[in-house]
C-alpha cells in the first residue's frame, strides 16, 4: 500500500464515523424527542401508537450526508498525506 491509499482509506473511515454521529444527533434524537423508538434494523422511527414517524427534512439529510462524506474524506486525506510527507 502506498501513502496515498492509506490516507484515502483513513479519510473514508473518518467520514463514515462522522456521518454515523451526525445521523444519531439528527434522526435518532429527533425520533426520541417525539416519543418514538428508533428501530435500527429497519431505520424507522416507530411512535407509541405504532405509526411510523418521518421528519420533513430527512430527504435533505441524505444529500447533506453525501456532501459531508466527500468533504470530510477529502480533508482528512489531505491532512494525513501532509503529515506523512513531513516524516
Amino acid at each position: 500500500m502506498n501513502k496515498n491509499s492509506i490516507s484515502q482509506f483513513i479519510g473514508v473511515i473518518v467520514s463514515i464515523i462522522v456521518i454515523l454521529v451526525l445521523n444519531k444527533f439528527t434522526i435518532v434524537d429527533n425520533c426520541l424527542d417525539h416519543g418514538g423508538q428508533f428501530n435500527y434494523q429497519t431505520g424507522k422511527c416507530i411512535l407509541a401508537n405504532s405509526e411510523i414517524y418521518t421528519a420533513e427534512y430527512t430527504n435533505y439529510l441524505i444529500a447533506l450526508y453525501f456532501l459531508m462524506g466527500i468533504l470530510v474524506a477529502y480533508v482528512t486525506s489531505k491532512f494525513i498525506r501532509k503529515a506523512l510527507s513531513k516524516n
Side-chain angles (χ1 to χ4, degrees), residues 8-18:
Q8 289 172 350
F9 177 74
I10 294 172
V12 169
I13 296 299
V14 169
S15 176
I16 290 171
I17 292 170
V18 167

Side-chain angles (χ1 to χ4, degrees), residues 32-62:
L32 299 176
D33 289 343
H34 282 85
Q37 180 180 3
F38 194 79
N39 186 345
Y40 287 97
Q41 291 178 344
T42 61
K44 297 183 181 182
C45 176
I46 301 171
L47 298 176
N49 58 0
S50 298
E51 289 182 15
I52 295 177
Y53 172 76
T54 304
E56 300 90 31
Y57 57 83
T58 306
N59 292 335
Y60 299 112
L61 281 178
I62 294 171

Side-chain angles (χ1 to χ4, degrees), residues 9 12 17 19 27-28 30 33 35-37 39-41 44 48 56-57 65-66 69 71 74 76 78 80 82 87:
F9 177 74
V12 169
I17 292 170
I19 289 173
I27 304 275
V28 177
N30 185 27
D33 289 343
Q37 180 180 3
N39 186 345
Y40 287 97
Q41 291 178 344
K44 297 183 181 182
E56 300 90 31
Y57 57 83
Y65 291 164
F66 178 74
L71 183 67
Y74 176 75
T76 304
K78 279 288 209 188
I80 292 174
K82 219 176 231 191
N87 292 332

Side-chain angles (χ1 to χ4, degrees), residues 67-79:
L67 292 175
M68 282 192 59
I70 291 173
L71 183 67
V72 169
Y74 176 75
V75 170
T76 304
S77 174
K78 279 288 209 188
F79 282 139

